[in-house]
Amino acid sequence: MNDWIQRDVGAVPGTPETMRLMQRSDGFTIMVGKVELMSDLLCASERALATLACERLRDRPAARMLIGGLGMGFTLRAALDGLGPQANVVVSELVPAVATWARGPLAHLFEGALDDPRVALRLEDVNRIIQETPAAYDAILLDVDNGPEGATRRQNSRLYDEWGLKRARWALRSGGILAVWSGHPDRKFKARLKRVGFSVEEIRIRSNVDSGRRHVLWLATVETDGLGAG
């Protein structure tokens, strides 16, 4: 089985697009149209998104984290490995089919992560969850598109414009972290993060540890001098 075959398809709310789960002999990929969103062969940067955030939360044994995008579970699995037993992780996934795949053909990748008592899965837009409560999270991790723009879903742009970044900052506790994954650099986005009051670290990391194209992670921290909520 060398050619990709379609295992399943799911509607993307708010768009005419569909999300497709594809499989061949060497693994799985999830696509929207002709755009590959993720692959189980190239997942090092998705894991690093959580690992690096967790390293910065070591002094918060009961940290509360929001992950935008369930995907193939790599970020969630890394978060659970890096957080303590008292932590709490809310995962927001917009596409119901993705949650179904997590317990079906992709269950071997999740390794029971969704059954961890620290995890709550919510099938709704992460943008709405961010707006619910001030100072609710120690970290917000966003990997809902191929970068800080609405490439696969126009509404995703609201997460990354100044309004969306201000809301994320509002939802973070003092010293909290907004971690954002991207398939490419974006100087304007980095500048927006700084403009709304984040201290920003930009990290380049290969998609598959020692090979593959370099992805970009932004770790934006709410300063602890009163600028952030909480």
Side-chain angles (χ1 to χ4, degrees), residues 74-215:
F74 299 115
T75 299
L76 173 59
R77 183 71 268 165
L80 295 175
D81 290 343
L83 294 171
Q86 297 177 319
N88 178 267
V89 181
V90 177
V91 183
S92 171
E93 175 53 53
L94 184 69
V95 181
V98 173
T100 300
W101 302 337
R103 296 191 181 278
L106 301 182
H108 63 291
L109 300 178
F110 280 82
E111 300 177 338
L114 290 177
D115 297 318
D116 191 299
R118 294 173 290 175
V119 176
L121 175 62
R122 296 177 59 174
L123 297 179
E124 58 186 296
D125 191 337
V126 68
N127 200 16
R128 293 185 179 182
I129 298 176
I130 288 173
Q131 296 180 54
E132 288 178 343
T133 310
Y137 300 100
D138 296 285
I140 298 173
L141 280 53
L142 296 179
D143 181 8
V144 300
D145 219 308
N146 269 0
E149 71 280 315
T152 60
R153 180 175 178 267
R154 181 176 53 82
Q155 295 93 323
N156 288 343
S157 294
R158 292 305 304 272
L159 287 166
Y160 305 111
D161 61 18
E162 282 203 25
W163 181 90
L165 295 178
K166 287 178 180 178
R167 298 310 291 177
R169 188 166 164 267
W170 174 83
L172 285 166
R173 295 167 179 163
S174 182
I177 300 162
L178 173 64
V180 179
W181 182 97
S182 177
H184 52 80
D186 190 324
R187 291 183 180 179
K188 291 183 179 179
F189 178 67
K190 184 177 181 180
R192 284 200 300 275
L193 285 167
K194 293 181 177 180
R195 198 155 54 238
V196 302
F198 284 108
S199 173
V200 184
E201 181 180 1
E202 181 176 296
I203 299 171
R204 308 288 179 95
I205 184 166
R206 291 196 180 277
S207 58
N208 196 26
V209 184
D210 297 322
S211 62
R213 61 182 298 183
R214 291 187 183 274
H215 294 159

Side-chain angles (χ1 to χ4, degrees), residues 32-47:
V32 171
K34 296 182 179 180
V35 178
E36 181 180 83
L37 297 182
M38 63 203 77
S39 165
D40 61 347
L41 299 177
L42 302 170
C43 55
S45 58
E46 285 86 349
R47 288 193 176 103

Side-chain angles (χ1 to χ4, degrees), residues 3-8 19-24 27-31 33 38 40 72 101 106:
D3 295 329
W4 290 106
I5 61 170
Q6 182 171 291
R7 288 290 305 271
D8 197 15
M19 188 170 286
R20 297 179 294 142
L21 177 65
M22 309 294 291
Q23 183 183 13
R24 66 182 182 188
F28 290 87
T29 187
I30 294 177
M31 303 183 71
M38 63 203 77
D40 61 347
M72 292 184 168
W101 302 337
L106 301 182

